């Protein structure tokens, strides 16, 4: 298997990269779209970034929003026609709570568009699980608790939910080996001592990978780093142990547990990545990225409630420059490193390109 989390995938789309600057006047389709089909969720996580009053993410989210079925089918028709490469279903809410998810993935499965989903795994059963198992590229289950009791406390969900999800994942892997099943382990101070054991448990279940990520607790990088400072060394040690004793053929460990500060401060004035990976919310609005979803003042690119996504996308390139990261994005941003890489590529002096 090749590299899954490399940020260099974009260099397989040089035409897209070259179209990004304002001066080109060219608009190519986004390569990847995150669709948030619904804001409803069957869990109530204590740390949910979308529901936290302290984080800018999701600050204008209405939990009742859900993309109407007809609109969703129209969006997917456009996505297929535009030649978008991949769709990921994600939250706001839990994608598997969306009543039309099965219709969506059947449509995508019959198209060239690759698809994936983030999920809590509680509804990973029945026909929709079968379609994912046989046709999706990947599925990632978010995890925090390490047993029924801790899981119930994190998620304020019914007792026994952790065991049910473990069973769902076990059954999912038995349906087909086509879909890569990952787990995203969100680390905070409560579960920090259980990182190695949880990874080991996930390996026993049969998942393909575990990604270790820090829980984001503040808009400020320094506050996040202060929060994680007390557990940092212990988590790193466990991650290292998991890499050396658990990772190997058929099971991967991705250590994304790192200082968060570097992902916060921005000095650039436009965001290349918002044309590469864009977000459609359950409110039928298009946002710059998953870190500014449901932020109407600073992350909104426009509404597709009363127009088709393809018409919106291909009209007026100026909308892609409505976000100035140096002014409004000094918070967590998964694309910061990729943006810096693309800007450096685009800013290379043309006269000197030959002197590689
Ligand atoms: S710089 Fe980051 S946070 Fe800002 S719009 Fe771009 S991807 Fe989103």
């Amino acid at each position: 298997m090749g590299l899954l989390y490399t940020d260099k995938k974009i260099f397989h789309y040089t035409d897209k990269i070259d179209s990004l600057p304002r001066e080109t006047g060219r608009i190519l389709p986004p390569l990847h779209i995150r669709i948030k089909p619904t804001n409803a969720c069957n869990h109530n996580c204590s740390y949910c970034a979308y529901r936290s009053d302290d984080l800018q993410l999701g600050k204008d989210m209405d939990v009742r929003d859900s993309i109407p079925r007809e609109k969703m089918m129209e969006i997917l028709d456009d996505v297929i026609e535009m030649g978008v490469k991949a769709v990921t279903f994600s939250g706001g809410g839990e994608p598997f709570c969306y009543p039309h998810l099965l219709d969506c993935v059947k449509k995508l499965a019959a198209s060239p568009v690759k698809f994936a989903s983030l999920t809590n795994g509680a509804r990973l059963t029945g026909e929709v699980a079968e379609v994912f198992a046989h046709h999706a590229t990947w599925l990632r289950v978010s995890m925090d608790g390490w047993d029924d009791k801790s899981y119930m406390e994190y998620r304020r969900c019914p007792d026994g939910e952790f065991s049910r999800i473990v069973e769902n994942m076990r059954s999912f892997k038995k349906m087909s080996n086509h879909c890569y099943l990952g787990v995203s382990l969100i680390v905070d101070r409560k579960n920090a001592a259980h990182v190695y054991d949880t990874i080991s448990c996930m390996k026993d279940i049969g998942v393909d990978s575990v990604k270790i990520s820090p829980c984001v607790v503040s808009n400020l990088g320094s506050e996040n780093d202060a929060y994680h400072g007390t557990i940092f060394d212990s988590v790193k040690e466990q991650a290292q142990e998991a890499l050396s004793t658990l990772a190997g053929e058929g099971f991967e460990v991705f250590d994304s547990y790192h200082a968060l500060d570097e992902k916060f401060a921005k000095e650039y004035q436009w965001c290349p990545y918002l044309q590469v990976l864009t977000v459609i919310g359950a409110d039928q609005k298009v946002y710059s990225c998953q870190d500014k979803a449901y932020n109407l003042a600073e992350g909104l690119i426009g509404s597709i409630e009363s127009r088709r996504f393809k018409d919106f996308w291909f009209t007026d390139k100026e909308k892609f420059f409505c976000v100035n990261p140096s002014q409004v994005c000094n918070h967590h941003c998964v694309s910061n490193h990729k943006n810096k890489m693309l800007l450096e590529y685009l800013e290379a002096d043309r006269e000197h390109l030959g002197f590689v």
Side-chain angles (χ1 to χ4, degrees), residues 31 49 61 75 78 85 92 117 123 133 154 186 205 290 325 343 354:
L31 295 171
M61 186 175 90
I75 291 169
D78 285 358
K85 303 296 177 199
S117 188
R123 296 191 177 190
Y154 267 108
I186 315 296
I205 292 164
Q290 62 258 41
L343 288 165

Side-chain angles (χ1 to χ4, degrees), residues 268 271 288-289 291-292 323 325 329 331 333 335 339:
Y268 45 91
C271 170
S288 57
C289 63
D291 283 300
K292 290 193 101 61
V323 176
C329 300
H331 50 71
C333 162
S335 300
N339 272 341

Side-chain angles (χ1 to χ4, degrees), residues 185-241:
L185 179 57
I186 315 296
V187 177
D188 67 2
R189 287 179 179 172
K190 284 201 290 277
N191 62 11
H194 299 269
V195 169
Y196 181 87
D197 292 345
T198 307
I199 298 171
S200 178
C201 167
M202 295 300 122
K203 183 179 181 182
D204 290 345
I205 292 164
V207 309
D208 297 301
S209 75
V210 175
K211 180 183 179 194
I212 313 163
S213 303
C215 180
V216 176
V217 296
S218 164
N219 288 328
L220 297 174
S222 54
E223 285 184 6
N224 280 287
D225 288 348
Y227 174 89
H228 285 279
T230 55
I231 54 173
F232 195 81
D233 291 346
S234 157
V235 173
K236 278 303 205 192
E237 265 169 40
Q238 293 175 73
Q240 198 45 53
E241 198 185 342

Side-chain angles (χ1 to χ4, degrees), residues 38-87:
T38 179
N39 290 338
C41 192
N42 52 341
H43 287 176
N44 186 9
C45 300
S46 49
Y47 60 85
C48 178
Y50 284 98
R51 286 160 177 79
S52 163
D53 293 337
D54 299 331
L55 297 175
Q56 61 82 34
L57 179 66
K59 74 187 175 69
D60 300 311
M61 186 175 90
D62 185 334
V63 293
R64 296 163 301 184
D65 278 337
S66 179
I67 302 180
R69 185 184 182 285
E70 237 176 76
K71 185 69 187 181
M72 178 62 99
M73 292 301 132
E74 180 194 284
I75 291 169
L76 295 181
D77 283 337
D78 285 358
V79 162
I80 294 165
E81 189 189 318
M82 290 162 76
V84 171
K85 303 296 177 199
V87 165

Side-chain angles (χ1 to χ4, degrees), residues 232-264:
F232 195 81
D233 291 346
S234 157
V235 173
K236 278 303 205 192
E237 265 169 40
Q238 293 175 73
Q240 198 45 53
E241 198 185 342
L243 274 162
S244 50
T245 63
L246 299 173
E249 193 65 24
F251 183 69
E252 301 182 68
V253 176
F254 297 100
D255 181 8
S256 286
Y257 188 77
H258 45 69
L260 283 161
D261 229 1
E262 48 160 302
K263 294 203 169 218
F264 285 62

Side-chain angles (χ1 to χ4, degrees), residues 278-319:
T278 197
V279 170
I280 299 177
D283 55 0
Q284 302 174 66
K285 292 185 170 60
V286 179
Y287 292 94
S288 57
C289 63
Q290 62 258 41
D291 283 300
K292 290 193 101 61
Y294 303 122
N295 186 326
L296 291 171
E298 296 171 346
L300 180 70
I301 304 182
S303 172
I304 54 169
E305 196 169 352
S306 54
R307 64 192 304 202
R308 293 192 73 119
F309 176 64
K310 64 178 178 184
D311 296 336
F312 166 79
W313 187 263
F314 289 120
T315 307
D316 182 19
K317 182 150 184 151
E318 201 50 37
K319 63 180 175 294

